[in-house]
Amino acid sequence: MYKLLIVEDDVMMNDMLAMYLSEEGYQVKQAFSGESGLALLEQFIPDLVLLDLILPDWNGADLCARIRQTSTVPVMIVSMKFEVSERIQALRAGADDYLVKPFSMHELSARAEALLRRANRMPLPVRGIAQSAREELEPAAISLDMDRRLLLIHGALVETTFSEFELMKLFLNHPGKVFSREDLINAIRGFDSFVTDRAIDVHIVNLRRKVEKNPKEPKYIRTVWGVGYKYMTDPE
C-alpha cells in the first residue's frame, strides 16, 4: 500500500482528498500547515506528497524546495493558482506535477499513479560533487542507473526530478541528436503535465548545473539556436 501525505490547510479540501484517496487504496496522512507537513514527512515517510501552494505558515514553493533538501519523494502541487509563472516556480522548486483546482478526482488519481509508476525510492541525495571530480569530468562519468532512476557522476548520486531524469535518458540514448523543445515536451508529457517551452528551458538550466563544470559555458548539453538542444559525448 502506497503512503500519501496531503499538505493542505483547507480542511474541507484536505478531508475530501483524504477520503477519496483512502478509498482508492492509499494510506493517507493529513497535514494542515507546512510545519506539520515537514514533521509527517520524517515520521510517515510518504511515497507521494500532495502540496498546496498557499499555507498559513509557508509558501508552498518554498516548502517544496525545503522538502527537496532531504527527500526525493514525488511532489504534486494542487493549487488554485493557474499562472504559468506559478507553475514554473514550482518546477524550479522541485515539484514533479502541478494540478489546478478545481480538478477531477479521477485525473488526480491517474496523475498520482503515473508519478508512483516512475518513482523508485532512493537514498538521500549527495548534494554536490567535489570540484576535482568536476574538473576531471569525462563523458563516461555521466551515467544513469535505470533500475533505481539515479543520475550518477563519477559514481556520486546527484538529485534529479523525474522530468530531468527523463530528459537525461533521452540525451544519453541519442548523443549528438538535436531535439526541438517540442520533442522534449513530448518525451516528458504525462507526468510533467503543464510542461511548456519555458519549463523545458528551466529543466535544461537545472541539468547543466548538475552535470557541467561551468553551466554558463556548457560542454555536454548544448543549445542549438533556433531549434533546441543536443547532448555531446565528445565536448571538445
Side-chain angles (χ1 to χ4, degrees):
M1 178 184 294
Y2 286 113
K3 297 189 293 183
L4 193 149
L5 173 61
I6 302 170
V7 186
E8 163 69 73
D9 68 323
D10 184 319
V11 176
M12 184 177 297
M13 173 62 75
N14 198 321
D15 287 344
M16 182 175 63
L17 290 171
M19 181 180 301
Y20 177 82
L21 292 164
S22 294
E23 292 175 354
E24 289 288 294
Y26 294 97
Q27 181 183 351
V28 178
K29 291 287 186 182
Q30 298 171 259
F32 298 92
S33 68
E35 287 302 320
S36 60
L38 288 173
L40 281 172
L41 185 71
E42 294 185 5
Q43 299 165 13
F44 183 51
I45 313 179
D47 298 294
L48 177 65
V49 175
L50 300 186
L51 174 62
D52 188 18
L53 283 183
I54 302 175
L55 298 168
D57 55 345
W58 276 83
N59 173 282
D62 292 340
L63 182 60
C64 184
R66 172 66 180 81
I67 290 171
R68 280 286 168 262
Q69 292 178 11
T70 58
S71 175
T72 56
V73 63
V75 176
M76 183 191 302
I77 300 296
V78 288
S79 176
M80 294 185 67
K81 295 185 176 183
F82 58 86
E83 296 87 353
V84 172
S85 60
E86 297 290 347
R87 300 197 293 266
I88 295 301
Q89 184 180 9
L91 285 171
R92 283 177 168 165
D96 301 290
D97 201 353
Y98 194 112
L99 189 56
V100 176
K101 302 174 185 175
F103 49 78
S104 160
M105 287 295 185
H106 293 298
E107 183 180 5
L108 170 69
S109 180
R111 291 191 184 187
E113 290 172 7
L115 283 177
L116 289 166
R117 279 198 304 271
R118 293 168 174 85
N120 202 326
R121 302 307 301 278
M122 59 187 70
L124 295 183
V126 175
R127 296 298 299 176
I129 306 170
Q131 183 63 31
S132 60
R134 286 189 180 274
E135 292 172 352
E136 298 169 2
L137 195 61
E138 298 294 337
I142 302 174
S143 62
L144 296 176
D145 182 326
M146 303 303 295
D147 292 333
R148 296 184 296 161
R149 295 184 63 84
L150 307 180
L151 172 62
L152 300 170
I153 299 182
H154 282 294
L157 168 61
V158 178
E159 178 186 1
T160 64
T161 66
F162 297 113
S163 300
E164 291 167 2
F165 184 91
E166 291 297 315
L167 291 179
M168 281 304 301
K169 181 170 69 174
L170 191 66
F171 284 142
L172 289 170
N173 285 338
H174 302 279
K177 180 178 178 178
V178 178
F179 290 96
S180 68
R181 288 176 175 82
E182 183 177 359
D183 292 333
L184 300 179
I185 287 172
N186 289 333
I188 61 176
R189 179 175 286 147
F191 59 96
D192 191 348
S193 304
F194 284 90
V195 65
T196 61
D197 285 4
R198 176 57 180 154
I200 290 294
D201 293 338
V202 170
H203 288 316
I204 295 296
V205 168
N206 290 336
L207 280 172
R208 283 172 171 166
R209 289 172 180 164
K210 295 169 183 180
V211 306
E212 302 281 359
K213 177 182 176 182
N214 182 357
K216 294 183 178 180
E217 297 182 6
K219 302 295 185 182
Y220 296 98
I221 303 175
R222 302 278 190 89
T223 298
V224 180
W225 295 107
V227 181
Y229 300 97
K230 64 180 178 180
Y231 178 81
M232 301 297 293
T233 56
D234 184 3
E236 299 303 324

